[in-house]
Amino acid sequence: MNHCTSELPPRTYLFVPGTREDRFAKALATGADCVILDLEDAVSTDDKPRAREIVAGWLASASSEQRSRVAVRINDAGSSYFADDLGALRVCGAATIVLPKAENASQIAAVTTGVPGARVLALIESARGVAYVDEIASAPGVSRLLFGTLDFALELDMDISVDASGLAYAASRIVIASRLSDLPAPVAGVTPQLDDDARLLADLAQARSFGFGAKLCIHPKQVGLIHEALLPSAQALEWARRVLAADAASPGAARLDGRMVDRPVVLQAQRVLALGGS
């Protein structure tokens, strides 16, 4: 189940504070596959009502193309802002909603009841969210899972500034739950080090090794780097073409570089070429 753009699931989700309407169009122009207008962490308590009004007003007048590439992160189901957020988004007809601190299916149901027809991006960022991730992933209305790594690490008193291996269990649970519910590969958390491209790419590589297929971004300059890193290399594309050629020449019994070309290898080659636009 895709959302925000194109036939392939989004690769990048760029956060923009809901109070900064001047940045909404600029964020869309970065090439981010999906822009998340944020009513939660990026907005102070005093500014919550104003941010809600700004986002709802902008969505009401946005073009269909703009609306297709935008999601709104509301405040969590336990907050005093939750009902008002849903009410405003119901009126303006928001299509995609990010639910932070997702911990059970009843929270998803509250969103889809409050905003009928909305797709829900469930943000898993607590131990309870991980424990009930299968229930969340299979809840009607959920279109993808997101991993809020910073909040998750904070709750578990886990230092991931240098070594993020402690995220492995939760990451694997989220990936497997996504697969079992036929959701796209989940979305990895943010990299807060804005001037460290190497760290951004290392975080992405680690997330990809777990099976994640996209990443949350907090700065426009992260978008292009992630898109480029997710493209197959020239060597990978050449390998994929050779695999398919070998399979076409000898279906089911091909060998390439001393290795049997069985169905999983063929499917992987097809996936590589699809990602490369071939």
Side-chain angles (χ1 to χ4, degrees):
M1 184 184 299
N2 298 338
H3 54 274
C4 283
T5 135
S6 75
E7 294 182 0
L8 293 175
R11 303 157 295 174
T12 47
Y13 294 77
L14 176 62
F15 282 107
V16 181
T19 52
R20 297 301 304 268
E21 186 174 3
D22 58 309
R23 295 185 183 177
F24 294 177
K26 293 177 182 177
L28 288 167
T30 64
D33 293 328
C34 189
V35 170
I36 300 177
L37 308 181
D38 193 10
L39 301 180
E40 194 212 18
D41 283 352
V43 178
S44 68
T45 299
D46 291 342
D47 281 339
K48 298 285 189 185
R50 184 168 70 90
R52 184 187 305 123
E53 181 179 346
I54 289 171
V55 168
W58 185 87
L59 281 171
S61 61
S63 68
S64 58
E65 192 278 335
Q66 289 174 320
R67 291 166 64 90
S68 71
R69 293 180 54 209
V70 165
V72 180
R73 177 163 72 170
I74 61 175
N75 290 280
D76 70 86
S79 75
S80 59
Y81 311 105
F82 181 68
D84 288 338
D85 287 350
L86 293 180
L89 296 183
R90 178 174 60 251
V91 171
C92 70
T96 306
I97 295 174
V98 178
L99 176 65
K101 301 177 179 62
E103 295 186 337
N104 56 64
S106 65
Q107 295 171 341
I108 307 297
V111 175
T112 56
T113 300
V115 187
R119 295 179 294 271
V120 181
L121 303 177
L123 184 54
I124 309 299
E125 48 189 342
S126 67
R128 188 175 298 276
V130 171
Y132 291 97
V133 69
D134 299 317
E135 172 187 320
I136 295 166
S138 62
V142 170
S143 62
R144 202 169 195 180
L145 300 182
L146 286 55
F147 190 15
T149 49
L150 298 185
D151 281 308
F152 179 79
L154 179 64
E155 184 187 64
L156 273 67
D157 194 20
M158 184 187 298
D159 183 2
I160 60 171
S161 59
V162 176
D163 180 8
S165 60
L167 299 174
Y169 172 76
S172 297
R173 285 287 307 272
I174 292 169
V175 169
I176 292 171
S178 297
R179 178 66 275 170
L180 290 176
S181 292
D182 292 324
L183 300 178
V187 183
V190 302
T191 296
Q193 294 86 352
L194 296 180
D195 298 317
D196 192 341
D197 294 351
R199 175 59 185 267
L200 175 72
L201 296 177
D203 285 352
L204 176 63
Q206 182 182 53
R208 288 290 298 124
S209 73
F210 288 131
F212 283 73
K215 189 164 172 59
L216 299 172
C217 304
I218 55 174
H219 195 280
K221 67 181 181 180
Q222 295 180 330
V223 171
L225 287 169
I226 292 170
H227 287 180
E228 183 177 355
L230 289 174
L231 287 173
S233 66
Q235 293 85 350
L237 291 171
E238 175 61 22
W239 169 83
R241 295 188 187 101
R242 292 175 61 221
V243 166
L244 296 188
D247 182 63
S250 182
R255 292 174 62 90
L256 181 67
D257 301 331
R259 178 182 177 184
M260 284 294 297
V261 178
D262 55 8
R263 180 169 173 76
V265 175
V266 172
L267 292 176
Q268 178 63 22
Q270 291 172 342
R271 179 179 297 174
V272 168
L273 291 176
L275 289 173
S278 300

